[in-house]
Amino acid sequence: MAKEIFLTGDRPTGKLHIGHYIGSLKNRVKLQNEGKYDPYIMIADTQALTDNARDPEKIQNSLIQVALDYLAVGLDPKKSTIFVQSQIPALFELTAYYMDLVTVSRLERNPTVKTEIKQKGFNDSIPVGFLNYPVSQAADITAFKATLVPVGDDQEPMIEQAREIVRTFNRVYDCDVLVEPKGFFPPKGSGRLPGLDGNAKMSKSLGNCIYLSDDAKTVQKKVMSMYTDPNHIHVEDPGKVEGNTVFTYLDVFDPDKDKVAELKEEYQKGGLGDVKIKRYLNKVLENELEPIRERRAKYAQDTDAVYEMLVEGSKKANVKANQTLQEVRDAIGLNYFGHFDK
Ligand code: TRP
């Protein structure tokens, strides 16, 4: 029996940061290495264009950065098919068919898209492609008949939209061509890493990130600038650990939970300084980031090989997506020419 497929991806709008790592990358590497699934990992460049159409260079430059980040965290082209969305034409034809099964008002209700529209200040000038990206994302997922989609919590509405499209398609065209996917989310409470400034989200536009490609010195500087408890002024003052970014990060990154509990107690009592606790966090982070950084540097020496890897991955992805497209065309009844065409 063929293995079940998991599929996920990222928009190449810059380098990936440790929020991506905690929210999604780490999960996929684990799934990849468990060997139960056949992984497909997509660099979603056309989705990135839906709100960057006038800045294609940003996408072009980010493509290789994201590919390097993937390899750096341990995604392995021998085990995972890593490919580029724009190189898979079937995805766009599938999107076109699915668009006819989804209403505009349904798209307008998508909470993640709504938030993004506000953040990006689109007001009344929302690009059609942007509003439609949940539909194209359903094409990404269903083209590969993925049953599992490991993503961050904010992507839940996209999975729901994909599930709806699958059900509608199979019902309307009386078939079982499309497969309903399930989301795979990080464990509750650890899925979203706050920004260095304590903002709920780590994001490039807020300038509050640690990147997977940051060197050790940069990471240290960023850790030293982190938001803690603004009322913890003197070392001997009792400090707060809730909402204190340093402790949130320790909860996520430090495997030694007893040690974290001890440090929290000491901090709350008073007597544990911010500098000391930040130095400790820096050490914990380095344990995780150093091997990633080293692998990234190694792959960055031969970007030609990385592009080759994407070519190979995209070839393989095309075969799979074209198969599904053929089944979809047959299900709708677009095979008018049948044997005339052979
Ligand atoms: N929307 C995802 C993000 O912004 C990227 C993405 C595109 C994706 N297509 C996908 C994720 C298909 C999972 C499955 O991170």
Side-chain angles (χ1 to χ4, degrees):
M1 262 265 299
K3 284 184 193 171
E4 284 187 37
I5 287 173
F6 90 70
L7 176 133
T8 188
D10 303 273
R11 299 180 197 171
T13 54
K15 298 177 290 194
L16 300 180
H17 52 65
I18 60 173
H20 295 118
Y21 180 63
I22 291 304
S24 175
L25 294 168
K26 211 172 164 173
N27 251 347
R28 341 180 166 160
V29 174
K30 202 165 138 231
L31 275 177
Q32 166 195 271
N33 292 338
E34 278 168 9
K36 277 199 290 221
Y37 285 88
D38 185 6
Y40 280 74
I41 315 286
M42 182 181 76
I43 305 186
D45 58 339
T46 45
Q47 186 175 111
L49 278 172
T50 61
D51 64 325
N52 288 285
R54 285 160 184 79
D55 191 6
E57 267 162 48
K58 176 160 103 186
I59 315 295
Q60 286 157 25
N61 297 333
S62 303
L63 190 88
I64 186 75
Q65 298 301 332
V66 171
L68 286 171
D69 287 330
Y70 281 174
L71 295 167
V73 296
L75 288 174
D76 176 354
K78 286 199 208 76
K79 298 180 188 158
S80 294
T81 306
I82 304 175
F83 69 100
V84 181
Q85 189 182 26
S86 61
Q87 308 307 303
I88 317 297
L91 297 179
F92 307 99
E93 191 172 333
L94 288 174
T95 303
Y97 300 137
Y98 298 169
M99 282 166 77
D100 301 330
L101 301 174
V102 179
T103 64
V104 173
S105 65
R106 173 68 183 85
L107 291 174
E108 284 170 344
R109 279 201 305 274
N110 184 310
T112 299
V113 173
K114 260 191 186 161
T115 310
E116 285 174 300
I117 286 172
K118 267 205 212 102
Q119 273 170 0
K120 293 172 199 293
F122 282 145
N123 301 315
D124 291 331
S125 310
I126 308 163
V128 175
F130 187 79
L131 191 65
N132 192 56
Y133 91 71
V135 177
S136 101
Q137 191 156 330
D140 304 336
I141 296 168
T142 55
F144 300 95
K145 304 206 170 174
T147 52
L148 198 71
V149 186
V151 277
D153 295 329
D154 64 321
Q155 294 295 300
E156 217 212 310
M158 313 309 156
I159 313 289
E160 199 41 50
Q161 179 71 78
R163 291 163 62 84
E164 275 177 43
I165 288 175
V166 168
R167 288 196 292 263
T168 308
F169 186 94
N170 287 348
R171 179 166 37 79
V172 168
Y173 300 112
D174 193 17
C175 64
D176 55 4
V177 166
L178 300 185
V179 178
E180 228 177 289
K182 268 212 278 298
F184 182 66
F185 304 100
K188 281 273 166 279
S190 72
R192 179 163 290 186
L193 202 62
L196 297 168
D197 54 358
N199 191 299
K201 196 173 172 186
M202 179 172 280
S203 113
K204 190 173 48 166
S205 50
L206 296 170
N208 59 6
C209 309
I210 293 177
Y211 292 98
L212 293 170
S213 47
D214 279 346
D215 61 34
K217 244 200 163 136
T218 308
V219 172
Q220 192 190 26
K221 231 171 67 201
K222 287 181 176 177
V223 169
M224 288 301 164
S225 78
M226 271 171 84
Y227 178 84
T228 56
D229 169 5
N231 297 317
H232 185 242
I233 300 167
H234 308 290
V235 174
E236 60 277 11
D237 292 343
K240 261 178 64 179
V241 298
E242 298 84 28
N244 184 324
T245 320
V246 174
F247 284 99
T248 313
Y249 280 31
L250 282 177
D251 280 335
V252 173
F253 284 98
D254 194 349
D256 188 348
K257 301 297 166 212
D258 293 342
K259 170 92 185 174
V260 176
E262 231 171 75
L263 290 170
K264 280 184 180 171
E265 210 183 298
E266 206 184 331
Y267 193 83
Q268 283 168 318
K269 246 191 342 218
L272 178 57
D274 278 4
V275 171
K276 202 162 159 200
I277 191 77
K278 284 175 172 174
R279 282 212 186 106
Y280 177 71
L281 172 64
N282 187 61
K283 224 173 59 197
V284 168
L285 281 179
E286 277 306 301
N287 279 341
E288 189 117 6
L289 295 181
E290 199 180 278
I292 294 177
R293 193 181 296 132
E294 276 172 12
R295 265 198 303 262
R296 201 180 192 282
K298 196 185 86 203
Y299 286 112
Q301 282 175 358
D302 188 1
T303 51
D304 282 1
V306 179
Y307 281 112
E308 286 293 336
M309 181 267 299
L310 293 176
V311 170
E312 286 312 309
S314 301
K315 268 189 201 153
K316 194 173 150 211
N318 261 316
V319 172
K320 183 94 191 153
N322 285 335
Q323 265 167 13
T324 306
L325 178 62
Q326 194 53 53
E327 292 170 29
V328 160
R329 289 173 135 256
D330 287 347
I332 301 176
L334 303 174
N335 50 351
Y336 317 111
F337 302 142
H339 61 274
F340 295 112
D341 206 19
K342 297 277 147 71

